Amino acid sequence: MKYRAAALGTDGIRLTMESALTARDRVGVQDFVLLENFTSEAAFIENLRKRFKENLIYTYIGSVLVSVNPYKELEIYTKPHMERYRGVSFYEVSPHLYAIADNSYRSLRTERKDQCILISGESGAGKTEATKKILQYYAVTCPVSDRVETIKDRLLQSNPILEAFGNAKTLRNDNSSRFGKYMDVQFDYKGAPVGGHILNYLLEKSRVVHQNHGERNFHIFYQLLEGGEDDLLRRLGLEKNAQQYQYLIKGQCAKVSSINDKNDWKVVRRGLSVISFNDDDVESLLSIIASVLHLGNVQFATDEQGNAQVTTENQIKYIARLLSVDGSILREALIHKKIIAKGEELNSPLNLEQAAYARDALAKAVYGRTFSWLVNKINRSLIYKEGEHPGWGSASVIGLLDIYGFEVFQHNSFEQFCINYCNEKLQQLFIELTLLSEQEEYEAEGIAWEPVQYFNNKIICDLVEEKHKGIISVLDEECLRPGDATDMTFLEKLEETVKNHPHFITHKLGDQKTRKCVGRDEFRLLHYAGEVNYNVTGFLDKNNDLLFRNLKEAMCNTENPIINQCFNRTELTDKKRPETAVTQFKNSLSQLMEILVSKEPSYIRCIKPNDAKQAGRFDEVLIRHQVKYLGLMENLRVRRAGFAYRRKYEIFLQRYKSLCPETWPVWDGRAVDGVGMLVKCLNYKPEEFKLGRTKIFIRFPKTLFATEDALEERKQSLATSIQATWRGYNQRQKFLYLKRSAILIQSWWRGTVDRRKAARRKRAVEIIRRFIKGFIYRKYPRCPENEYFLDYIRYSFLMSLRRNLPKNVLDKSWPKPPPSLTEASEYLRHMCMQNMVWKYCKRISPEWKQQLEQKVVASEIFLDKKDNYPQSVPRLFINTRLSNEEINAKVLQALDSEAIKYAVPVTKYDRRGYKARGRQLLLTQNSVVIVEDAKLKQQIDHAKLKGISVSSLSDSLFVLHVHCDDNRQKGDVVLQSDHVIETLTKIAMSAEKVNNININQSSIKFAAGPGKEGVIDFTSGSELLIAKAKNGHLSVVAPRLNSR
């Protein structure tokens, strides 16, 4: 049963029982007692359907919880959900498993009376899962300690172990409990779980040797094969393939998609270690499980005399080793039967059928007794020792009964007879306790009790268990009497003994119509839940449950410690015939009834919504069948025989007081008087209610629904009124809070501001005093009187210096230092300049460095000497004024390997007529070349260059003076360049003639040829004018750009 998952989004409107009344049209009522048509089974099932569709799987019938398996995950079992139900009154929260668990726990703590929770339903309805959830609830919500934690772990871990050994896949349920379980959880005086005890009932041992198609054997066999380590399986002589074992292939369903045997095996191994199983215990236990599988593979054949002989010796060897018995003795015990007649022992050989019966009987006995041993082992680990928990006389107990529900199959046999007999007894107890509880409540409240008519199934219980006349007695007599007793003689004896009983029918006793439905080998019982046909085939064998004596002897001689405890040697010497299976079950059931009667019961009725295990599918036929055999309608009828609804005065008044002006908003008198005033105001009729000592009883659900509807209408006006009052109150409180806060903050802030002012004035006075004293002693050597003043002067200068440092190397500004820091200031100024220069130099690129070098040379040559020099300063000198494309290729070829460092267009003036001619000046590594188109007109080596002359005016003429002894030179060269400063700087640096540049004021003389001299006269004018003068000189008039 899958119960985990997302919490219900609408859980907020379902928190209390009454809140769901307002949504009853959609989700039904959460207590069947409030159904208007409570006698209608259709109305009952429709209410279940509504709630199931809304994922509301729990519904009450008074204090009985009806649970429908959702077959999907619902997150209503988280820790917050547990806390919501913890310590809360039963009807104050929506129906839930936890409400039942918590109510039992609180009753245990407050009333000190043992409790029990009876969980019933058919296979697949969720009984086992409900038991787990209750144990988890106690594990989370109960007080803890180290010892308690250990017990909690053992209680929780006992479940997967018992499921592994006692649960199996059936057609109806993949994890069906094939045994009944009653678990006592013991609590100390603090309410902590300190121990436990488990009783098991009627394990379905026949499943060990036979399974119906589509079913499996017990889980542990498959878990061992799937999850067991290779070394373990090798020691046990097992293979991982379940198809190799006869006991596992009868149902042809070894693999199930919804079961992970490998993971379950890990859980079982972990659980065994928690419950104090050591390695030897585990090895012995698994050896027994393996021996059962090997027993199933033991095969027989007939000899010449028709006697059975073992044909699988290997299997006998495995079994002998695993159970630590003598192999030959075991072999003989499987094919012979020991008979004691007149004090003599005779070994009677068995035929094939008898040998197979003996083998299967041994397998069932070994597994069944091992299961009982396992339960006892778990009980020893859960035992409560009073000495460990002083302070309280004895532990209180909450019992959990997880027992099979009423079963009706197509073929019903001995097991279904026992199960349904158990359910008859539980139904009888259930009705009696419910009626008793109702009667006690009525008497306690002073309400007249009206006898309730109901079906008393005591007549059916007597039919089954009455001494000498009941079915059990007849069955035992047939099993014990000498002679040839068979299943059919048992049926005949039944017909003779109980033929007149109204709830017993056979083919022979029935009418013509009945005989069509009841076989000749069947009898029919009319149970409280309906008619069931039982087939008597196998009744005697299953009831006898005999194990041949020689097989018992073989088992008693085992050295396996578990088998040794399971087979007591006293069985061999005890002359008394053992009790039959049904008698043992009857006695166990009687003890269980005594246990349940001694406790305060709570009930959980589990319902399976469909056989396909599909979420959301609601099979009405199947559910109607379960509602019938669970006796839910009978229970509802008993609960509704009197009053449908009852509540304590305080709770009823608290909920509905707003419907009466006299009780709203506060009722100061007694609660009973307030309720009386309230019902009078609501116009309740006398037959609709009764007032008890502490509770009000309302007879009809429609009365409650009308009250609830009136409350819903009243809530609207109340909500508006409450909201207005609350908003006013809330805003008033906010205002008062803000006012108090403002006053507090203002007070604190004023004090803080005044304290700061006082501290600041005090510091100011001290500083001024020290400053004045320092000023008076400022010319003295450093002393305590002037150290503050001097430090301040230094600090002020340094801060001023920090703010006014030079921005670049050209910035010569520097703050004036005080006398005491003059020397330090000079050091700082020098360091600052060095640092700026270093930073500046570090940032200079090679190209910019070259530019600066040229500018420095130009400055050395022309600064304050040449009139147009200032205009050239901001202009960058470029590498060349002519590209290679502008220079004739023949010139480049003529220069050969000499690289051109600089090229510029110039104007050359002839030496004689001073005629201007366009030329190109090329500067190479070794010479200055004058070019006319493709001709090298003149090439002046740097060594032959004597100097350069230029005027001080703004003209752009210059003269290159060459040595006259060079025959290649015709004389000095007169040139004009638009970039005269740049051109002359580059020539001077390349020819290393920086110091050979002459700047003349009025005239320049130059060699016009061998023995000839030319003169250039320079005068100032308004515009530039170059022409030959009458005196034969070259006259240059240039405007003055700067005054020097």
Side-chain angles (χ1 to χ4, degrees):
M1 181 176 182
K2 295 181 179 178
Y3 277 175
R4 300 161 304 195
L8 294 171
T10 55
D11 193 54
I13 67 165
R14 304 171 190 166
L15 185 59
T16 66
M17 174 182 176
E18 287 78 2
S19 66
L21 294 176
T22 61
R24 57 185 174 271
D25 291 335
R26 181 170 58 86
V27 301
V29 294
Q30 59 186 29
D31 193 334
F32 284 109
V33 172
L34 298 176
L35 278 176
E36 188 64 34
N37 191 4
F38 70 92
T39 59
S40 170
E41 189 178 77
F44 187 98
I45 293 174
E46 181 59 27
N47 192 64
L48 267 184
R49 183 204 303 276
K50 286 181 179 179
R51 296 182 65 75
F52 181 74
K53 292 300 181 185
E54 293 290 327
N55 290 327
L56 299 171
I57 62 172
Y58 295 121
T59 313
Y60 289 133
I61 304 177
S63 59
V64 177
L65 181 70
V66 179
S67 168
V68 183
N69 192 339
Y71 286 125
K72 66 179 179 181
E73 296 183 349
L74 298 175
E75 196 176 304
I76 55 175
Y77 303 98
T78 59
K79 192 170 182 180
H81 278 83
M82 294 182 184
E83 292 299 329
R84 180 181 298 169
Y85 285 87
R86 183 179 182 180
V88 179
S89 180
F90 188 73
Y91 290 112
E92 289 182 16
V93 283
S94 54
H96 201 289
L97 200 69
Y98 293 156
I100 296 288
D102 188 74
N103 190 58
S104 296
Y105 180 74
R106 284 189 294 110
S107 298
L108 176 86
R109 298 278 289 136
T110 57
E111 300 172 15
R112 304 307 304 174
K113 184 174 182 179
D114 291 347
Q115 306 289 314
C116 67
I117 301 175
L118 281 65
I119 307 170
S120 61
E122 75 169 51
S123 179
K127 302 185 299 297
T128 302
E129 198 69 23
T131 305
K132 288 184 196 175
K133 298 301 181 188
I134 291 173
L135 287 175
Q136 289 171 1
Y137 178 80
Y138 290 143
V140 171
T141 59
C142 293
V144 295
S145 65
D146 292 340
R147 164 69 181 172
V148 168
E149 282 296 335
T150 303
I151 291 298
K152 282 183 179 180
D153 289 342
R154 290 178 180 175
L155 283 169
L156 294 175
Q157 291 299 328
S158 66
N159 265 315
I161 294 173
L162 291 177
E163 285 182 15
F165 285 85
N167 288 25
K169 185 225 181 291
T170 66
L171 292 174
R172 296 187 174 188
N173 185 6
D174 290 346
N175 187 33
S176 175
S177 298
R178 306 318 298 159
F179 69 104
K181 179 178 69 175
Y182 175 78
M183 172 186 282
D184 270 337
V185 182
Q186 298 168 311
F187 296 85
D188 65 7
Y189 71 98
K190 297 178 182 177
V194 293
H197 189 269
I198 298 170
L199 296 175
N200 63 295
Y201 301 96
L202 195 65
L203 177 71
E204 189 186 14
K205 294 185 292 184
S206 60
R207 183 169 293 273
V208 175
V209 299
H210 176 76
Q211 307 92 42
N212 294 327
H213 183 76
E215 297 189 348
R216 296 207 313 176
N217 210 321
F218 293 104
H219 293 324
I220 187 62
F221 295 112
Y222 307 95
Q223 293 172 0
L224 174 58
L225 295 182
E226 283 292 321
E229 301 82 1
D230 292 340
D231 184 54
L232 172 63
L233 295 179
R234 189 166 49 252
R235 292 199 307 273
L236 300 178
L238 298 176
E239 301 177 22
K240 281 189 174 291
N241 187 4
Q243 300 297 326
Q244 299 294 323
Y245 302 98
Q246 294 298 314
Y247 282 165
L248 302 184
I249 63 174
K250 301 289 179 68
Q252 299 180 2
C253 188
K255 294 281 187 180
V256 182
S257 60
S258 63
I259 299 176
N260 190 327
D261 292 311
K262 194 169 186 177
N263 286 348
D264 292 343
W265 168 256
K266 295 177 183 177
V267 174
V268 170
R269 287 303 301 264
R270 184 167 60 250
L272 290 173
S273 63
V274 170
I275 304 178
S276 303
F277 273 74
N278 56 39
D279 292 341
D280 292 338
D281 290 336
V282 174
E283 190 76 18
S284 299
L285 181 61
L286 297 181
S287 295
I288 296 170
I289 301 303
S291 71
V292 172
L293 293 178
H294 287 301
L295 260 176
N297 284 358
V298 173
Q299 301 296 320
F300 304 98
T302 56
D303 59 12
E304 297 174 354
Q305 289 78 31
N307 299 327
Q309 297 295 326
V310 176
T311 61
T312 49
E313 284 298 324
N314 279 341
Q315 301 300 330
I316 296 295
K317 290 178 182 178
Y318 276 129
I319 298 168
R321 178 171 61 82
L322 293 170
L323 296 182
S324 301
V325 298
D326 188 294
S328 59
I329 295 176
L330 178 61
R331 186 190 313 104
E332 289 301 310
L334 286 171
I335 57 177
H336 290 86
K337 178 181 179 182
K338 182 176 287 189
I339 301 173
I340 300 178
K342 297 181 181 180
E344 293 184 12
E345 291 186 357
L346 299 175
N347 279 329
S348 173
L350 304 177
N351 59 31
L352 277 179
E353 185 180 348
Q354 291 171 330
Y357 172 83
R359 175 198 62 200
D360 292 346
L362 178 60
K364 291 189 289 184
V366 167
Y367 192 86
R369 297 190 186 202
T370 301
F371 184 78
S372 297
W373 175 89
L374 179 63
V375 172
N376 291 331
K377 174 76 173 177
I378 293 173
N379 285 337
R380 286 194 294 274
S381 74
L382 297 175
I383 194 168
Y384 168 67
K385 300 175 183 177
E386 293 186 17
E388 295 180 5
H389 303 276
W392 201 262
S394 61
S396 301
V397 168
I398 294 179
L400 298 174
L401 178 63
D402 171 9
I403 200 149
Y404 14 65
F406 197 87
E407 290 189 349
V408 183
F409 300 137
Q410 188 172 357
H411 177 83
N412 301 290
S413 187
F414 179 75
E415 291 82 6
Q416 281 68 48
F417 173 75
C418 294
I419 288 171
N420 293 342
Y421 163 53
C422 173
N423 276 271
E424 286 286 357
K425 295 290 289 183
L426 288 174
Q427 175 69 6
Q428 182 184 23
L429 178 69
F430 176 53
I431 294 296
E432 288 177 357
L433 292 178
T434 303
L435 278 174
L436 181 63
S437 173
E438 285 286 291
Q439 188 172 353
E440 287 178 350
E441 183 175 14
Y442 277 54
E443 291 175 354
E445 292 296 323
I447 305 295
W449 170 254
E450 301 172 4
V452 178
Q453 296 298 320
Y454 69 98
F455 173 67
N456 189 343
N457 67 338
K458 183 178 185 301
I459 186 173
I460 303 174
C461 295
D462 290 343
L463 170 63
V464 176
E465 66 185 6
E466 189 176 2
K467 286 186 178 181
H468 310 302
K469 295 181 181 180
I471 296 175
I472 292 176
S473 296
V474 174
L475 180 58
D476 282 351
E477 284 179 19
E478 279 300 294
C479 290
L480 299 175
R481 76 174 176 85
D484 190 13
T486 66
D487 295 322
M488 291 308 297
T489 61
F490 159 63
L491 182 58
E492 293 169 1
K493 184 71 176 289
L494 270 182
E495 289 172 339
E496 292 176 13
T497 309
V498 295
K499 60 183 177 182
N500 296 322
H501 200 286
H503 291 268
F504 178 83
I505 302 174
T506 63
H507 183 85
K508 179 180 177 181
L509 300 175
D511 55 23
Q512 192 67 29
K513 183 179 179 181
T514 305
R515 288 178 181 178
K516 295 179 181 179
C517 304
V518 181
R520 295 183 181 276
D521 56 352
E522 294 179 340
F523 65 91
R524 173 181 289 179
L525 292 184
L526 277 62
H527 290 282
Y528 77 93
E531 301 172 347
V532 183
N533 291 353
Y534 297 99
N535 192 302
V536 296
T537 304
F539 259 61
L540 265 62
D541 285 341
K542 291 176 180 178
N543 189 41
N544 276 321
D545 196 21
L546 290 178
L547 185 64
F548 294 153
R549 182 180 179 84
N550 42 350
L551 286 174
K552 283 185 181 179
E553 289 177 352
M555 292 299 103
C556 288
N557 291 322
T558 181
E559 293 181 9
N560 184 298
I562 297 177
I563 295 295
N564 213 336
Q565 295 176 53
C566 292
F567 288 87
N568 198 324
R569 284 187 172 275
T570 57
E571 293 183 41
L572 302 176
T573 58
D574 192 358
K575 302 297 182 182
K576 185 179 179 182
R577 184 181 178 94
E579 288 183 336
T580 61
V582 72
T583 299
Q584 292 179 34
F585 183 68
K586 174 185 173 183
N587 295 337
S588 298
L589 197 55
S590 296
Q591 294 173 6
L592 177 62
M593 293 300 118
E594 291 175 7
I595 291 172
L596 298 180
V597 168
S598 68
K599 294 176 170 55
E600 191 72 27
S602 298
Y603 305 95
I604 299 175
R605 297 292 193 240
C606 299
I607 292 178
K608 179 169 66 172
N610 61 78
D611 278 325
K613 293 170 272 191
Q614 292 180 1
R617 180 176 167 186
F618 192 88
D619 188 338
E620 186 172 329
V621 174
L622 178 64
I623 290 176
R624 179 177 286 107
H625 174 67
Q626 294 174 81
V627 167
K628 183 177 181 181
Y629 75 61
L630 285 171
L632 299 182
M633 293 302 298
E634 191 73 17
N635 176 242
L636 175 57
R637 212 162 59 78
V638 170
R639 188 72 170 77
R640 274 294 303 271
F643 295 88
Y645 178 88
R646 63 209 66 180
R647 280 294 180 276
K648 287 190 175 293
Y649 291 134
E650 293 79 8
I651 297 174
F652 187 84
L653 183 62
Q654 179 64 29
R655 180 165 183 79
Y656 299 111
K657 64 181 180 180
S658 61
L659 299 177
C660 178
E662 285 76 11
T663 58
W664 177 258
V666 177
W667 175 258
D668 294 327
R670 295 188 308 159
V672 62
D673 297 332
V675 171
M677 184 68 68
L678 182 58
V679 297
K680 182 179 179 182
C681 184
L682 292 172
N683 296 319
Y684 279 12
K685 296 178 181 177
E687 65 272 13
E688 291 180 336
F689 74 99
K690 290 286 186 182
L691 296 180
R693 293 189 177 96
T694 63
K695 297 179 182 178
I696 178 174
F697 290 73
I698 297 177
R699 187 177 298 276
F700 307 114
K702 64 181 180 181
T703 305
L704 179 65
F705 292 157
T707 306
E708 190 66 27
D709 293 339
L711 178 62
E712 282 301 305
E713 294 179 8
R714 175 68 172 145
K715 280 180 180 178
Q716 303 301 321
S717 59
L718 284 177
T720 304
S721 175
I722 292 172
Q723 286 173 353
T725 304
W726 167 249
R727 289 192 185 107
Y729 172 78
N730 193 36
Q731 293 302 320
R732 173 71 177 165
Q733 293 302 311
K734 282 184 179 179
F735 168 74
L736 293 175
Y737 176 76
L738 291 174
K739 182 179 179 181
R740 289 193 300 271
S741 300
I743 292 171
L744 183 63
I745 292 171
Q746 289 170 354
S747 175
W748 173 83
W749 178 246
R750 289 192 191 99
T752 301
V753 169
D754 289 342
R755 283 190 292 273
R756 287 178 181 175
K757 284 182 180 179
R760 196 159 54 245
R761 287 171 182 163
K762 184 178 179 181
R763 286 195 302 273
V765 168
E766 292 176 353
I767 291 170
I768 292 171
R769 183 184 293 118
R770 292 170 65 185
F771 197 87
I772 293 173
K773 187 179 288 187
F775 181 79
I776 295 171
Y777 288 89
R778 66 185 181 281
K779 296 182 180 179
Y780 289 81
R782 186 179 181 86
C783 61
E785 285 77 11
N786 65 7
E787 62 180 359
Y788 178 80
F789 180 80
L790 296 178
D791 289 343
Y792 176 78
I793 294 298
R794 291 190 180 98
Y795 176 79
S796 298
F797 171 71
L798 293 175
M799 289 298 102
S800 174
L801 182 61
R802 179 185 177 186
R803 292 188 297 270
N804 300 290
L805 282 173
K807 300 298 185 292
N808 52 59
V809 293
L810 300 178
D811 186 358
K812 303 303 181 181
S813 63
W814 191 261
K816 182 179 179 181
S820 60
L821 292 177
T822 302
E823 186 178 359
S825 175
E826 285 303 317
Y827 279 122
L828 290 173
R829 184 174 187 176
H830 180 67
M831 289 169 61
C832 178
M833 186 58 65
Q834 278 187 328
N835 186 51
M836 286 193 296
V837 169
W838 179 80
K839 285 183 179 180
Y840 183 80
C841 292
K842 191 160 185 163
R843 290 197 303 268
I844 292 176
S845 64
E847 295 78 8
W848 187 246
K849 183 178 180 182
Q850 182 184 11
Q851 183 75 215
L852 289 178
E853 288 175 348
Q854 293 175 5
K855 286 290 184 178
V856 169
V857 170
S859 175
E860 291 176 356
I861 297 171
F862 300 109
L863 181 63
D864 297 330
K865 298 176 183 178
K866 180 75 172 164
D867 196 41
N868 58 352
Y869 168 72
Q871 282 70 35
S872 71
V873 171
R875 297 172 188 161
L876 294 177
F877 291 172
I878 62 176
N879 291 332
T880 181
R881 295 287 177 176
L882 295 172
S883 64
N884 286 342
E885 288 77 11
E886 295 177 288
I887 302 173
N888 195 287
K890 290 182 179 180
V891 173
L892 295 175
Q893 188 177 2
L895 291 176
D896 195 14
S897 60
E898 282 194 81
I900 299 174
K901 296 172 64 177
Y902 179 72
V904 63
V906 296
T907 302
K908 179 179 178 296
Y909 290 90
D910 291 343
R911 300 177 186 83
R912 295 177 183 170
Y914 301 116
K915 187 176 180 179
R917 301 178 187 277
R919 298 285 189 270
Q920 293 177 341
L921 185 148
L922 307 181
L923 182 63
T924 67
Q925 183 69 31
N926 301 314
S927 62
V928 177
V929 182
I930 308 299
V931 176
E932 178 186 5
D933 294 332
K935 295 180 181 179
L936 298 179
K937 296 296 290 182
Q938 190 171 356
Q939 186 170 1
I940 305 170
D941 293 337
H942 292 332
K944 300 299 182 180
L945 183 64
K946 290 195 301 179
I948 303 170
S949 295
V950 64
S951 77
S952 62
L953 300 180
S954 62
D955 63 281
S956 55
L957 266 71
F958 62 92
V959 178
L960 300 179
H961 300 283
V962 298
H963 287 285
C964 294
D965 56 356
D966 187 351
N967 295 328
R968 292 180 302 172
Q969 307 299 336
K970 301 174 182 178
D972 296 340
V973 183
V974 180
L975 299 172
Q976 180 187 11
S977 172
D978 292 337
H979 309 283
V980 64
I981 303 296
E982 176 185 283
T983 302
L984 294 182
T985 301
K986 288 183 179 288
I987 293 173
M989 292 181 68
S990 180
E992 297 181 354
K993 303 295 182 179
V994 173
N995 297 324
N996 297 92
I997 294 179
N998 300 313
I999 301 174
N1000 301 289
Q1001 296 290 335
S1002 56
S1003 64
I1004 296 175
K1005 294 180 179 180
F1006 63 94
K1012 296 180 180 179
E1013 184 180 68
V1015 178
I1016 303 173
D1017 295 325
F1018 295 92
T1019 57
S1020 298
S1022 59
E1023 59 182 15
L1024 179 65
L1025 182 63
I1026 302 174
K1028 184 177 179 179
K1030 293 180 180 181
N1031 59 2
H1033 296 177
L1034 181 63
S1035 174
V1036 178
V1037 179
R1040 184 172 293 280
L1041 302 178
N1042 298 289
S1043 60
R1044 294 191 299 274

Coordinates of all heavy atoms in Angstrom, one line a residue, residues 190 289 348 664 694 697:
K190 N 7.4 7.4 31.2 CA 7.6 8.7 30.5 C 6.9 8.7 29.1 O 6.9 9.7 28.4 CB 9.1 8.9 30.2 CG 9.9 9.0 31.5 CD 11.4 9.1 31.1 CE 12.3 9.2 32.4 NZ 13.7 9.3 32.1
I289 N 16.8 -22.1 5.3 CA 16.0 -21.7 4.1 C 16.5 -22.4 2.9 O 15.7 -22.9 2.1 CB 16.2 -20.1 3.9 CG1 15.7 -19.4 5.2 CG2 15.5 -19.7 2.7 CD1 14.2 -19.7 5.5
S348 N 7.8 -49.0 7.8 CA 7.0 -49.3 6.7 C 7.4 -48.5 5.5 O 7.5 -47.3 5.6 CB 5.5 -49.1 7.0 OG 4.7 -49.2 5.9
W664 N -22.6 35.7 22.0 CA -21.5 36.3 21.2 C -21.2 37.7 21.8 O -22.1 38.5 22.1 CB -21.8 36.4 19.8 CG -20.8 37.1 18.9 CD1 -20.9 38.3 18.4 CD2 -19.6 36.5 18.4 NE1 -19.8 38.6 17.7 CE2 -18.9 37.5 17.7 CE3 -19.0 35.3 18.6 CZ2 -17.7 37.3 17.1 CZ3 -17.7 35.1 18.0 CH2 -17.1 36.1 17.3
T694 N -22.1 16.5 30.2 CA -21.0 17.3 29.7 C -21.0 17.5 28.2 O -20.2 18.2 27.7 CB -19.6 16.5 30.0 OG1 -19.6 15.3 29.3 CG2 -19.5 16.3 31.5
F697 N -26.1 16.2 22.5 CA -26.3 15.1 21.6 C -27.3 15.6 20.6 O -28.4 16.1 20.9 CB -26.9 13.9 22.3 CG -25.9 13.2 23.2 CD1 -25.5 13.7 24.4 CD2 -25.3 11.9 22.8 CE1 -24.6 13.1 25.2 CE2 -24.4 11.3 23.7 CZ -24.0 11.9 24.9

